[in-house]
C-alpha cells in the first residue's frame, strides 16, 4: 500500500474536478494541484497589467513579463487546502471571479504560457503521489499517469453548480452569464491548437450529472484502490 501513483483528472469546466481531486488527495495523503488555478493566476496578472481586457489581448507584453511571474501554492490552515499565490500575494479569491473565467481560456490557449506552467506542474509531480486536475493532465503533463479520469456532466448541470458556488461566495452574477461562460470555455478549450481538451485514450470517463459527491468520490476511490 506504500506505492504512490499519479492521478490525472481532466474534463470540462465546472465538472467538480477540483472537489473530488481535493478529497482524494486528503484521503490518500497525496499532493493536490489545481492546474486551472495557475492559468487563472496568469490571467489575473495579465488583467492587472492591462495586457488583456474584454476586447484586447497584448500577448507580446505578457510573454515578455512571463518570467517575472512567480506562482506557488501555500497551505491555508483554516481550510486545509492549498491557496494560489501570485508573486507572494494570496489570490485565491480573485482568480475565481467571472471576470477571470471570461478571459482565462484566451490566455491558456497560448503555447508560451502553457510551456511555463506545464514545466512547473511536471516538477511538482515528479515523485508521484499527486492528484492534479485540469484539461491536459492525462494527455500532456502526465501521459504516464497510472489513473486518468475524464469528467463530464451536462452544461446545464455544470452551470447550475458554478452559479450556486459563486452566489454563495457573494458574487453578483446571473445564471445566463455563467451558462455562457461554461459553454464558451468548453468550445475554446476543446478547439485550441496547443493541448486541447480531449479524453486520453486510456482515461475512464465519468458523467457525474446524476451522481452525488459521495457516490462520485467512492467510485473514483475504488478505481484508485484497483491501481494500488
Ligand atoms: O474550475 P473550472 O473547471 O471552471 O476551470 P479551471 O480548472 O479553473 O480552469 C480554468 C481554465 O484554465 C480552463 O477553462 C482552461 O482554459 C484553462 N486550463 C488549461 O488550459 N489547462 C489546464 N490544465 C487547466 C486549466
Amino acid at each position: 500500500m506504500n506505492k504512490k501513483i499519479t492521478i490525472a483528472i481532466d474534463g470540462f469546466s465546472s465538472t467538480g474536478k477540483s472537489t473530488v481531486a481535493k478529497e482524494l488527495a486528503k484521503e490518500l495523503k497525496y499532493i493536490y494541484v489545481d492546474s486551472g488555478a495557475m492559468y487563472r493566476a496568469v490571467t489575473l496578472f495579465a488583467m492587472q497589467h492591462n495586457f488583456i481586457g474584454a476586447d484586447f489581448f497584448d500577448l507580446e507584453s505578457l510573454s515578455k513579463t512571463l518570467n517575472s511571474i512567480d506562482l506557488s501554492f501555500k497551505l491555508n490552515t483554516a481550510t486545509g487546502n492549498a491557496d494560489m499565490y501570485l508573486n507572494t500575494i494570496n489570490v485565491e479569491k480573485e482568480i475565481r471571479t467571472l471576470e477571470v473565467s471570461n478571459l482565462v481560456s484566451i490566455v491558456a490557449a497560448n503555447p508560451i504560457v502553457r510551456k511555463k506552467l506545464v514545466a512547473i506542474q511536471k516538477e511538482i509531480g515528479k515523485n508521484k503521489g499527486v492528484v492534479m486536475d485540469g484539461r491536459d493532465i492525462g494527455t500532456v503533463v502526465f501521459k504516464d499517469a497510472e489513473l486518468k479520469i475524464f469528467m463530464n456532466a451536462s452544461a446545464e448541470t455544470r452551470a447550475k453548480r458554478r452559479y450556486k458556488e459563486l452566489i454563495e461566495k457573494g458574487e453578483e452574477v446571473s445564471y445566463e452569464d455563467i451558462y455562457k461562460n461554461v459553454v464558451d470555455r468548453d468550445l475554446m478549450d476543446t478547439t485550441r491548437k496547443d493541448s486541447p481538451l480531449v479524453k486520453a485514450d486510456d482515461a475512464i470517463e465519468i458523467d457525474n450529472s446524476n451522481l452525488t459527491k459521495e457516490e462520485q468520490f467512492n467510485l473514483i476511490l475504488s478505481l484508485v484502490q484497483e491501481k494500488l
Side-chain angles (χ1 to χ4, degrees):
M1 277 304 270
N2 283 334
K3 180 183 163 195
K4 288 207 184 271
I5 63 167
T6 301
I7 305 172
I9 304 185
D10 289 305
F12 291 93
S13 56
S14 316
T15 37
K17 300 179 296 292
S18 60
T19 307
V20 74
K22 265 181 219 160
E23 288 173 347
L24 271 184
K26 271 188 193 148
E27 175 76 23
L28 300 165
K29 302 201 168 49
Y30 278 18
I31 298 167
Y32 164 62
V33 181
D34 176 356
S35 69
M38 300 167 74
Y39 289 94
R40 287 173 179 273
V42 173
T43 305
L44 181 68
F45 175 90
M47 289 163 73
Q48 289 168 340
H49 290 79
N50 231 10
F51 296 154
I52 194 166
D55 49 12
F56 66 95
F57 181 27
D58 180 357
L59 175 60
E60 205 185 323
S61 298
L62 175 62
S63 305
K64 277 188 198 146
T65 41
L66 212 51
N67 279 342
S68 68
I69 303 181
D70 180 61
L71 300 173
S72 58
F73 290 99
K74 283 192 196 124
L75 182 72
N76 177 331
T77 46
T79 61
N81 296 320
D83 285 351
M84 183 82 245
Y85 280 70
L86 166 63
N87 294 336
T88 72
I89 312 274
N90 185 331
V91 290
E92 190 55 38
K93 192 162 183 279
E94 290 90 327
I95 60 171
R96 309 286 166 192
T97 61
L98 184 57
E99 285 71 31
V100 172
S101 296
N102 280 337
L103 298 173
V104 62
S105 291
I106 300 169
V107 172
N110 275 283
I112 302 165
V113 173
R114 304 203 70 81
K115 197 173 165 208
K116 176 180 166 98
L117 301 200
V118 168
I120 302 172
Q121 292 153 9
K122 284 189 169 164
E123 179 62 27
I124 301 175
K126 68 179 181 200
N127 296 325
K128 297 192 176 280
V130 65
V131 187
M132 195 174 292
D133 78 319
R135 302 294 187 285
D136 60 343
I137 311 305
T139 52
V140 176
V141 183
F142 300 125
K143 277 193 193 146
D144 59 352
E146 287 82 354
L147 180 63
K148 298 181 185 177
I149 306 284
F150 190 84
M151 304 230 319
N152 205 350
S154 73
E156 267 186 8
T157 305
R158 294 187 281 124
K160 276 185 198 153
R161 286 181 189 149
R162 185 52 52 94
Y163 176 69
K164 188 167 168 269
E165 197 180 296
L166 289 175
I167 291 291
E168 278 170 7
K169 280 186 190 163
E171 265 210 63
E172 286 180 21
V173 288
S174 75
Y175 172 76
E176 287 69 28
D177 287 346
I178 299 292
Y179 182 83
K180 187 177 180 314
N181 175 256
V182 161
V183 174
D184 287 353
R185 247 177 337 122
D186 288 351
L187 181 67
M188 279 190 267
D189 292 345
T190 49
T191 55
R192 69 181 176 219
K193 284 209 180 75
D194 187 350
S195 318
L197 168 65
V198 281
K199 178 184 161 301
D201 292 337
D202 51 349
I204 298 165
E205 184 157 5
I206 297 177
D207 186 317
N208 64 15
S209 305
N210 297 310
L211 292 180
T212 64
K213 274 186 195 165
E214 220 183 2
E215 285 167 341
Q216 164 172 284
F217 174 72
N218 290 332
L219 173 64
I220 301 181
L221 188 61
S222 67
L223 295 172
V224 174
Q225 276 152 357
E226 277 173 28
K227 299 283 176 189
L228 287 175

